[in-house]
Amino acid sequence: MTSTQAPQIAILGAGIFVKTQYIPRLAEISDLVSVKFIWSRTEESAKSATEIARKHFAGVESVWGDNGLDQIIKDDSILGVAVVLAGQAQVDMSLKLLKARKHVIQEKPAAASISEIENALSRYNSVCAELPGRPIWAVAENYRFEPAFMEGKKLIAEIGDMMNVQVLVEGSMNSSNPYFSSSWRRNFTGGFILDMGVHFIAGLRMLVGCEVASVSAVTSHVDKSLPPPDNISSNFQLENGCSGVFVMVVSSKSPKIIWRVVGLKGTLQVERGNKDGCHGYLVTQYGADGQSKSTFYPFSGVTEELKAFIHDVSEAKKGSDHAAEPRSSFLEGARDVALLEAMLESGSKNGVLVQVKKF
């Protein structure tokens, strides 16, 4: 595809993640996509992000406020829009764009709660009923696109029947983290546990290849510089009968993130780390003979999920009944949120068993 035919997209939002991830990652695939507009509520914010993008997309324009949004909605050359806004604002904005027949990739989490998800899905279905062709609603969950998890998913078959699953997350959400003072995350139900946690849940669901049926959790609030809760320990049971634990500490002095699946014939482990200054995941398979083999996979999920979205937008343009990438579907994002909400609900009720809402 030449750059003249590359689909044109707009980015809504001009915060840290747009500047440090969206713009650089889209620049890596600038032969596949062209960024036409960057929108923000304020002129200053839109212009600061556009300045960065201009190095890679010479014609990109900044637009802001209601007028800027109208401009994007009315521009027929804009096929797709990336919605990278505060968690509370994303669903309404996505639906507004979908109604205007734009394909949308929205940042995670899919929504703030199960009730918001149910409302969003019914609104999306009524929007689709009124339009020819179904506009794509993707949720950006890069963990489903990380090569480490895709490889891990394949290797799970080799460790035999699952006996236990452990997910251990010791995060590093402290005052030196650029997202620490982000006001919307602090006013979000579930705080950082929901915002960060959807990633680790996506990794878990991807690896085990089946859904979690029920959970029982204990939550606590220890670090008062963080919104509550900042710790969660949950037992869970998969639909295949296997049990496991999910432990998350939002801010630890010694960060560690690990997924471990113990099977009858071996164990599979995915651990976040870095190698030669490159961040990624070490995937280790332990066999019945005591031998192990490890492979390191650098992070590339954000680039891969954006590539998938651009591909879907290009295919949809041809008018075919193109089935969008299932890993990015709004439903997948909804399932991550439903599992965390069940854990948070159980935690608020002193560990009572909660069935996970199915979508």
Side-chain angles (χ1 to χ4, degrees), residues 57-357:
F57 301 98
V60 64
E61 294 173 53
S62 48
V63 291
W64 53 91
D66 292 344
N67 291 344
L69 191 58
D70 280 348
Q71 200 175 335
I72 290 170
I73 283 172
K74 288 174 180 157
D75 188 332
D76 291 337
S77 72
I78 299 284
L79 299 178
V81 182
V83 176
V84 196
L85 302 170
Q88 295 88 334
Q90 296 198 126
V91 168
D92 281 345
M93 185 63 86
S94 295
L95 285 159
K96 190 173 193 168
L97 291 157
L98 290 160
K99 198 168 184 176
R101 302 178 67 171
K102 307 292 185 198
H103 300 297
V104 169
I105 183 165
Q106 172 203 306
E107 255 311 309
K108 58 86 200 159
S113 64
I114 289 171
S115 57
E116 190 182 13
I117 287 167
E118 289 176 327
N119 180 27
L121 284 168
S122 87
R123 285 167 67 192
Y124 178 49
N125 288 330
S126 65
V127 161
C128 293
E130 293 162 17
L131 296 176
R134 210 175 162 84
I136 296 160
W137 191 359
V139 169
E141 179 44 75
N142 50 306
Y143 281 43
R144 277 191 265 279
F145 288 83
E146 292 294 351
F149 288 101
M150 293 171 69
E151 195 49 39
K153 189 180 167 85
K154 290 180 201 157
L155 294 172
I156 282 286
E158 296 173 25
I159 64 167
D161 291 344
M162 278 181 216
M163 296 196 289
N164 189 259
V165 185
Q166 301 141 43
V167 183
L168 176 68
V169 179
E170 296 173 24
S172 55
M173 186 49 69
N174 54 45
S175 56
S176 64
N177 189 303
Y179 298 101
F180 177 78
S181 54
S182 142
S183 60
W184 76 258
R185 288 178 176 84
R186 293 180 163 271
N187 302 322
F188 207 54
T189 319
F192 287 105
I193 293 230
L194 183 65
D195 177 55
M196 293 161 59
V198 284
H199 281 319
F200 313 120
I201 294 296
L204 161 68
R205 292 180 51 244
M206 178 101 182
L207 278 179
V208 299
C210 87
E211 297 300 336
V212 175
S214 62
V215 300
S216 167
V218 177
T219 50
S220 64
H221 187 209
V222 181
D223 184 344
K224 299 300 189 252
S225 70
L226 291 162
D230 65 328
N231 297 281
I232 189 162
S233 299
S234 178
N235 289 321
F236 62 79
Q237 185 164 33
L238 298 175
E239 287 180 347
N240 66 9
C242 176
S243 66
V245 291
F246 176 87
V247 176
M248 183 174 170
V249 177
V250 172
S251 185
S252 154
K253 295 289 178 270
S254 54
K256 187 178 187 72
I257 302 177
I258 200 163
W259 293 257
R260 197 171 160 93
V261 184
V262 184
L264 211 47
K265 298 182 196 164
T267 296
L268 183 76
Q269 179 174 297
V270 179
E271 182 168 11
R272 179 122 160 215
N274 65 54
K275 186 181 176 185
D276 307 327
C278 185
H279 290 276
Y281 300 96
L282 185 68
V283 178
T284 307
Q285 186 180 5
Y286 301 88
D289 55 2
Q291 302 291 308
S292 69
K293 55 179 186 200
S294 297
T295 311
F296 184 81
Y297 297 89
F299 286 152
S300 66
V302 175
T303 309
E304 294 306 318
E305 75 188 351
L306 287 169
K307 262 195 209 162
F309 177 67
I310 302 307
H311 171 74
D312 284 342
V313 166
S314 305
E315 289 300 307
K317 187 186 177 188
K318 297 173 187 172
S320 63
D321 288 332
H322 174 67
E325 169 57 67
R327 282 174 294 168
S328 309
S329 74
F330 184 83
L331 275 176
E332 280 296 319
R335 289 172 185 134
D336 297 335
V337 172
L339 177 46
L340 271 170
E341 185 168 314
M343 288 180 182
L344 289 164
E345 182 190 333
S346 174
S348 72
K349 295 176 178 172
N350 299 320
V352 65
L353 192 71
V354 174
Q355 301 298 317
V356 180
K357 169 81 183 170

